[in-house]
Amino acid sequence: MSRELILLIAGQSLTHACMAGMRLAAPLQALRQGYSEVAVGVLIALFALTQVFLALPSGRYADRHGLKRPVRYAVIAAAAGAGLAAIWPIFPVLCVSALLTGGATGSSVIALQRHAGRAAQTPTQLKQVFSWLAIGPAFSNFFGPFIAGLLIDGAGFRAAFLAMALLPIATWLAMRRATELPPVIQPPGERRPRAWDLLRDTTFRRVLLVNWFLSSCWDVHTFVVPVLGHERGFSASVIGTLLGAFAIAAGLIRVVLPMVAAFLREWALIFGAMIATGVLLGIYPLLQTPLAMGLCSVLLGVALGCVQPMVMSMLHQITPEHRHGEAVGLRMMVIQASSVTMPLLFGAAGAAVGVAGVFWAVGVWVLGGSRVAWLLRDDRKS
């Protein structure tokens, strides 16, 4: 692993850890101040909401200005968001903090992913780079909440918010040492780019679609497993272990992928992940013991954890170089919009057909969608 890639992983992890820690601390603070679960749900949604609207403009900005300028502005926004919560930890300020830290994290990730893709020289390197880079969020989803939780118990919420404000600053210290790549010149005579131009490409639409299918499966596991565990009388620690096993498996498979990247075909891995995910979602509600459910969570983590690096590799291969940032931003916009809306649909569906019905419906849905991944096989040949 090169020094440059280590810097990119560190930069992405630290900014993402800020948001992950805030996503734990801000709702807890709101609950302790007496706000309802509905208000807390809105607060949590705000972390993703900003990314929906900023993803595409952030991608275009990264295409024009490269790595360091977008990351610098993202660092300022994230540090300001967490810092405001440390100074005035009241609910309206916490909402502003959620918007700032969420949007900043999304913008910095887009710039970092675009830079990493441009630095790779071959399809194999693309798969390796994005496999290593995908380890960052898996680590930060543990590190940020862990540090925030320790500080909340030991020193209070203000200390936790202040610590989260320092993490983006550490990101900038890492990014200052990164090497800026030469700018990409837009071909002369080309009109101002529009997102619709990218969506006209059949392969691009199929890649986004399979990513949406599998991202929704990630959301259903995160949202429905706690409900299923609660129905069966599992303790909070057992439910947390089930979710933790899923996250650890998703992270570990990304450690393995770079070592075997030369032997992998993106479409085949994505197709296999969709088939495996559909089957596992069908089995999951039939399992009764924590051990069996934990094993199923691990297998789901392996299946879903290997998808993002393959999707990012394909996006960079099928998109013009001067629009890589826009393509990454469009992907993030779709994923974050799904993260905002799908839990609402899962909740409504769960009330109508039960938790098991949600698992089975999504399993059938993703199995049907696997045909889109199979069609990517023909796209890669053409």
Side-chain angles (χ1 to χ4, degrees), residues 184-193 320-323:
V184 179
I185 306 300
Q186 182 174 327
E190 183 172 313
R191 70 178 189 275
R192 182 182 177 184
E321 188 176 14
H322 65 285
R323 302 188 69 180

Side-chain angles (χ1 to χ4, degrees), residues 13 16 23 25 87 117 141 162 205 207 237-238 247 260 318 353 376:
S13 300
H16 199 280
R23 203 162 47 195
I87 299 171
N141 279 331
L162 181 60
R205 291 199 306 272
V207 170
S237 60
V238 169
V260 296
I318 65 178
V353 300
L376 290 172

Side-chain angles (χ1 to χ4, degrees), residues 21-183:
M22 290 294 296
R23 203 162 47 195
L24 169 75
L28 286 178
Q29 174 76 317
L31 287 171
R32 293 195 182 185
Q33 291 176 347
Y35 285 91
S36 68
E37 288 80 359
V38 174
V40 171
V42 171
L43 175 60
I44 293 173
L46 292 178
F47 284 97
L49 186 63
T50 327
Q51 298 182 46
V52 176
F53 296 102
L54 287 184
L56 198 54
S58 295
R60 289 170 175 164
Y61 191 81
D63 282 331
R64 293 194 302 270
H65 299 288
L67 172 67
K68 293 188 178 181
R69 187 185 295 186
V71 171
R72 181 167 65 244
Y73 290 144
V75 164
I76 293 171
L84 284 172
I87 299 171
W88 299 295
I90 59 176
F91 188 77
V93 173
L94 294 178
C95 291
V96 173
S97 298
L99 291 169
L100 285 172
T101 54
T105 299
S107 297
S108 66
V109 166
I110 289 169
L112 288 161
Q113 290 177 338
R114 173 189 177 274
H115 180 87
R118 286 194 62 211
Q121 302 297 320
T122 65
T124 296
Q125 286 182 4
L126 275 173
K127 287 178 280 191
Q128 290 173 333
V129 162
F130 285 117
S131 296
W132 286 120
L133 204 61
I135 296 171
F139 167 76
S140 59
N141 279 331
F142 164 77
F143 178 72
F146 178 72
I147 295 298
L150 285 180
L151 287 173
I152 289 169
D153 290 339
F157 282 95
R158 290 179 186 270
F161 292 139
L162 181 60
M164 295 304 104
L166 296 176
L167 291 177
I169 297 173
T171 292
W172 179 241
L173 294 177
M175 287 301 97
R176 288 184 62 186
R177 302 171 61 190
T179 303
E180 188 73 83
L181 296 174

